[in-house]
Amino acid sequence: MRERTNEVEVERDVKVTVSDGTVLLADVYHPVGVGDAPTILERTPYGRANFASAMGLEFAARGYRYVMQACRGTDGSGGTHSYFAEAGDGRATADWIASQPWFNGRLGTFGASYMGFTQWALASTKPPYLKAMAVALSTSVRAYSWYPEARWLSR
């Protein structure tokens, strides 16, 4: 990880509207004085004010822009939580990021457990600006997590 050199500004409760009109909330961590910062996206059902928010501060202090978004139906985001909404919600969020004046064309994703699943879901939509993924402790096929016999799905 880069050396910690930047102050951080945080925008809280940023509203991102996805394709069905549901509004998802995000916190955006901006590295002060870095105009060409790559962006890291983390989408979570576990809340934005936890370990992940500390990661936002750490990444932004090292020159990355960090977007922490609450998944549908969690931590103030609208709708009802659904595994099946993650690909569309992730893509809508990535497209929203790509439309921001601060976006430099480089998007990465980060997270473990369910946040790993949100990364795989987003990747399935093939956004051209997705350049890196840091998936930890997660399966790429969510059905395997709750139904081991689902392996036949990948044949």
Side-chain angles (χ1 to χ4, degrees), residues 44-113:
T44 179
Y46 305 127
R48 291 170 287 143
N50 59 24
F51 173 74
S53 65
M55 294 303 297
L57 290 170
E58 291 301 316
F59 278 120
R62 287 167 172 81
Y64 297 91
R65 186 161 283 101
Y66 190 85
V67 178
M68 165 59 67
Q69 184 181 61
C71 293
R72 178 182 291 257
T74 67
D75 197 23
S77 285
T80 302
H81 186 257
S82 170
Y83 291 107
F84 304 105
E86 295 301 351
D89 289 355
R91 181 58 186 260
T93 300
D95 289 344
W96 173 84
I97 290 169
S99 75
Q100 299 307 300
W102 41 255
F103 185 63
N104 75 351
R106 295 178 291 170
L107 177 67
T109 58
F110 176 81
S113 185

Side-chain angles (χ1 to χ4, degrees), residues 141 143-144 147-155:
V141 180
Y144 294 174
Y147 185 65
E149 288 79 20
R151 300 216 186 277
W152 63 269
L153 293 172
S154 63
R155 291 186 192 151

Side-chain angles (χ1 to χ4, degrees), residues 10-142:
V10 183
E11 285 182 84
R12 302 262 184 223
D13 299 326
V14 176
K15 295 177 179 171
V16 179
T17 303
V18 297
S19 60
D20 69 356
T22 300
V23 175
L24 306 180
L25 295 182
D27 295 337
V28 182
Y29 296 77
H30 299 279
V32 174
V34 180
D36 191 33
T39 302
I40 298 171
L41 170 63
E42 185 170 5
R43 302 187 62 254
T44 179
Y46 305 127
R48 291 170 287 143
N50 59 24
F51 173 74
S53 65
M55 294 303 297
L57 290 170
E58 291 301 316
F59 278 120
R62 287 167 172 81
Y64 297 91
R65 186 161 283 101
Y66 190 85
V67 178
M68 165 59 67
Q69 184 181 61
C71 293
R72 178 182 291 257
T74 67
D75 197 23
S77 285
T80 302
H81 186 257
S82 170
Y83 291 107
F84 304 105
E86 295 301 351
D89 289 355
R91 181 58 186 260
T93 300
D95 289 344
W96 173 84
I97 290 169
S99 75
Q100 299 307 300
W102 41 255
F103 185 63
N104 75 351
R106 295 178 291 170
L107 177 67
T109 58
F110 176 81
S113 185
Y114 192 90
M115 287 83 78
F117 172 71
T118 66
Q119 294 176 71
W120 287 118
L122 169 60
S124 75
T125 71
K126 301 178 183 175
Y129 38 78
L130 181 61
K131 305 299 182 189
M133 294 169 49
V135 179
L137 305 169
S138 184
T139 177
S140 62
V141 180
R142 191 70 183 166

